[in-house]
Amino acid sequence: MSTFTAKTVSEAIEEGLKSLNVDKSNADINIVQTNRKGFFGIGKRDAIVEIDVKNNENASNSQEIAATPTKNIKINNQPEETTETKKRHHSNEQAMEDLVAYLKPIIEELGVSAELQPKIINRKFARINFKTEQEGLLIGKHGLTINALQNLAQIYLNHIGYSRLSIQLDTADYRHRRTEILKKLAEKTAREAVATGQPVYLDPMPSFERKVIHNQLEDNLYVNTFSSGREPYRAVVVEPQG
């Protein structure tokens, strides 16, 4: 990650992108320090940003594979694939059983009585739904509790050797409702950024929620979005185009 300094955040970003010869859409931008004019020069400071070029290696590999003639591709024996898939699925089922056993006493310590309903969506993604009448307590303010539990669950899976398996915790359809709220927030923030001509900084949120904002506005012709800050205080910034 490279660091760039300029009088304003926009100038620092522009200088960094030019120096790295990369488009904004292919860069991860972190605002380390915003600029400040100061009072009669006292307390004046420049803006500092960090820019990291996104890794295109996977995309390149995909293009190379796509360009490979079909006749050169060796197709594996179908029964072996089926056996391997079954083994992986069985392994994921064991991981979910272990995770449920791990989460149950934690939920009880929070004073929540809930039935944990695990479901394997595919070989890389699984979900646990909490059936409870105390969903408000389980979700917490702005989702802080359920998001913290989800982070804890993912750390546990990584610890027991299932880092390839992503987990989502949900209750009372909270994830869907939260996604719809974030989409509306994205559109409202975009309108504000265009109206004021100034970037708008949203509250810090987890990466999967920031992704909703980015995806919602990626086709918007009037604004750009990027993330700023360090976890767990990383937030989305919506700025007007140009």
Side-chain angles (χ1 to χ4, degrees), residues 126-224:
R127 180 183 292 118
I128 294 179
N129 183 62
F130 293 85
K131 188 176 181 181
T132 177
E133 296 181 356
Q134 300 168 285
E135 59 264 16
L137 182 59
L138 181 62
I139 293 170
K141 186 177 181 180
H142 301 308
L144 288 177
T145 303
I146 196 168
N147 287 343
L149 287 170
Q150 182 166 302
N151 288 336
L152 191 62
Q154 193 65 62
I155 291 172
Y156 177 77
L157 287 177
N158 295 346
H159 177 70
I160 63 174
Y162 293 90
S163 58
R164 69 182 181 281
L165 183 62
S166 296
I167 185 69
Q168 181 188 78
L169 305 187
D170 196 9
T171 184
D173 202 28
Y174 169 73
R175 295 301 180 191
H176 174 72
R177 292 186 284 115
R178 177 63 174 167
T179 296
E180 294 305 309
I181 290 173
L182 291 172
K183 287 180 178 179
K184 293 178 181 178
L185 175 63
E187 297 295 342
K188 178 183 177 181
T189 305
R191 291 193 295 270
E192 180 182 348
V194 172
T196 62
Q198 299 293 325
V200 180
Y201 293 75
L202 297 178
D203 291 334
M205 59 184 70
S207 60
F208 56 87
E209 291 192 347
R210 296 198 304 269
K211 187 175 180 180
V212 175
I213 303 291
H214 292 308
N215 289 344
Q216 183 67 18
L217 297 178
E218 65 179 351
D219 295 326
N220 191 304
L221 301 178
Y222 305 102
V223 296
N224 293 319

Side-chain angles (χ1 to χ4, degrees), residues 6-241:
K7 292 182 179 179
T8 66
V9 171
S10 298
E11 289 178 1
I13 293 174
E14 183 179 354
E15 178 184 334
L17 295 175
K18 184 177 180 180
S19 176
L20 296 172
N21 192 27
V22 63
D23 294 329
K24 197 170 189 177
S25 60
N26 196 36
D28 287 326
I29 301 172
N30 177 43
I31 300 176
V32 178
Q33 175 178 286
T34 57
N35 55 291
R36 185 168 60 192
K37 294 182 179 179
F39 183 72
F40 291 106
I42 300 175
K44 180 180 179 181
R45 69 185 187 188
D46 290 336
I48 302 175
V49 302
E50 293 177 339
I51 300 179
D52 191 22
V53 180
K54 294 180 180 178
N55 189 358
N56 290 325
E57 182 180 350
N58 291 336
S60 299
N61 289 341
S62 297
Q63 292 174 356
E64 291 176 3
I65 293 173
T68 303
T70 305
K71 64 181 181 180
N72 291 333
I73 299 176
K74 182 179 180 181
I75 301 176
N76 292 329
N77 189 302
Q78 185 61 34
E80 292 180 356
E81 287 183 347
T82 303
T83 301
E84 179 62 28
T85 301
K86 287 182 178 180
K87 287 181 179 179
R88 186 184 296 113
H89 186 72
H90 175 74
S91 181
N92 287 350
E93 285 182 342
Q94 183 61 54
M96 293 301 291
E97 289 180 11
D98 294 345
L99 179 57
V100 167
Y102 173 73
L103 289 175
K104 273 185 176 180
I106 297 176
I107 300 302
E108 292 173 358
E109 285 294 325
L110 292 175
V112 176
S113 176
E115 177 187 348
L116 280 67
Q117 301 172 325
K119 182 177 182 181
I120 297 175
I121 307 302
N122 54 51
R123 64 187 182 88
K124 291 185 178 181
F125 183 73
R127 180 183 292 118
I128 294 179
N129 183 62
F130 293 85
K131 188 176 181 181
T132 177
E133 296 181 356
Q134 300 168 285
E135 59 264 16
L137 182 59
L138 181 62
I139 293 170
K141 186 177 181 180
H142 301 308
L144 288 177
T145 303
I146 196 168
N147 287 343
L149 287 170
Q150 182 166 302
N151 288 336
L152 191 62
Q154 193 65 62
I155 291 172
Y156 177 77
L157 287 177
N158 295 346
H159 177 70
I160 63 174
Y162 293 90
S163 58
R164 69 182 181 281
L165 183 62
S166 296
I167 185 69
Q168 181 188 78
L169 305 187
D170 196 9
T171 184
D173 202 28
Y174 169 73
R175 295 301 180 191
H176 174 72
R177 292 186 284 115
R178 177 63 174 167
T179 296
E180 294 305 309
I181 290 173
L182 291 172
K183 287 180 178 179
K184 293 178 181 178
L185 175 63
E187 297 295 342
K188 178 183 177 181
T189 305
R191 291 193 295 270
E192 180 182 348
V194 172
T196 62
Q198 299 293 325
V200 180
Y201 293 75
L202 297 178
D203 291 334
M205 59 184 70
S207 60
F208 56 87
E209 291 192 347
R210 296 198 304 269
K211 187 175 180 180
V212 175
I213 303 291
H214 292 308
N215 289 344
Q216 183 67 18
L217 297 178
E218 65 179 351
D219 295 326
N220 191 304
L221 301 178
Y222 305 102
V223 296
N224 293 319
T225 66
F226 59 92
S227 294
S228 173
R230 301 183 185 279
E231 298 291 0
Y233 305 108
R234 195 162 174 79
V236 175
V237 181
V238 181
E239 64 174 9
Q241 283 272 22

